[in-house]
Amino acid sequence: MAEGGGPRAGRAAPGRLTISIAAPDGQRRAARGLGPWLARVAPARARGEATIALVSDGRMRSLNRTFLGRDYATDVLSFPAVDAAPRGGARYLGDIVIATGVAARQADEAGHALSTELRVLALHGLLHLLGHDHERDGGAMARLEARLRRKGGLTAGLIERGRR
């Protein structure tokens, strides 16, 4: 069940970001508040709707294999909407998929809660939906992500971890 009543429930008003969460029962508690938090810290230009799906590592491995040719589970994938035209007043930005097992291991390694790791990954995924690419942008995404993390009360970031 998504936050707010169901997948893509409650169309976003123009000028707002609405996040729906698809999570198995066992992950709902860790995802509580994730959608409103992400909408609050998102860049001002993030308007419309997006979905965050919490999936098993096996499902993430399958998605990686299918779409990226990688036979392993990664922490987060972003799937920007092919047609982001407004529907009912809001455009659909796309889907963010997070592997819960990978996220739990990363949370343990970082010494914080799973809910914190989900925020780190969701923010990173949203920036990819908005067109940012930390591998090609000379640090622009890293700087934006750092600013938004501070706004959202997070100290750790995904891009910085990758540099260690």
Side-chain angles (χ1 to χ4, degrees), residues 43-59:
R45 72 181 190 92
R47 294 183 177 111
E49 301 175 21
T51 299
I52 299 173
L54 303 182
V55 301
S56 70
D57 289 4
R59 179 67 179 134

Side-chain angles (χ1 to χ4, degrees), residues 29 33 46 56 59 92 108 130 133 135 163:
R29 185 173 182 189
S56 70
R59 179 67 179 134
Y92 193 67
D108 285 344
L130 296 174
D133 185 351
E135 294 179 6
R163 291 180 183 154

Side-chain angles (χ1 to χ4, degrees), residues 1-3 19-35 38 51-60 63 74-77 95-104 114-115 117-123:
M1 169 78 61
E3 263 181 36
I19 307 291
S20 297
I21 308 291
D25 288 339
Q27 298 298 323
R28 286 205 184 110
R29 185 173 182 189
R32 187 175 303 142
L34 180 60
L38 187 57
T51 299
I52 299 173
L54 303 182
V55 301
S56 70
D57 289 4
R59 179 67 179 134
M60 181 64 91
L63 290 169
T74 54
D75 48 12
V76 61
L77 287 174
D95 302 315
I96 301 164
V97 182
I98 298 174
T100 57
V102 174
L114 175 58
S115 59
E117 186 67 14
L118 294 178
R119 288 178 176 193
V120 168
L121 298 173
L123 177 59

Side-chain angles (χ1 to χ4, degrees), residues 31 43 50 82 120 141:
V82 174
V120 168
M141 181 176 170

Side-chain angles (χ1 to χ4, degrees), residues 43-155:
R45 72 181 190 92
R47 294 183 177 111
E49 301 175 21
T51 299
I52 299 173
L54 303 182
V55 301
S56 70
D57 289 4
R59 179 67 179 134
M60 181 64 91
R61 181 178 180 180
S62 176
L63 290 169
N64 265 310
R65 191 172 38 244
T66 300
F67 293 101
L68 299 175
R70 301 174 184 164
D71 194 21
Y72 55 91
T74 54
D75 48 12
V76 61
L77 287 174
S78 295
F79 295 95
V82 174
D83 176 15
R87 293 187 326 243
R91 69 183 181 128
Y92 193 67
L93 299 173
D95 302 315
I96 301 164
V97 182
I98 298 174
T100 57
V102 174
R105 289 188 297 279
Q106 289 177 178
D108 285 344
E109 291 168 10
H112 56 233
L114 175 58
S115 59
T116 299
E117 186 67 14
L118 294 178
R119 288 178 176 193
V120 168
L121 298 173
L123 177 59
H124 187 85
L126 177 65
L127 293 179
H128 278 301
L129 287 185
L130 296 174
H132 294 279
D133 185 351
H134 54 88
E135 294 179 6
R136 296 180 177 87
D137 69 4
M141 181 176 170
R143 290 186 297 275
L144 176 58
E145 187 174 286
R147 182 175 58 79
L148 297 173
R149 276 195 339 265
R150 285 190 301 273
K151 179 180 177 183
L154 297 176
T155 57

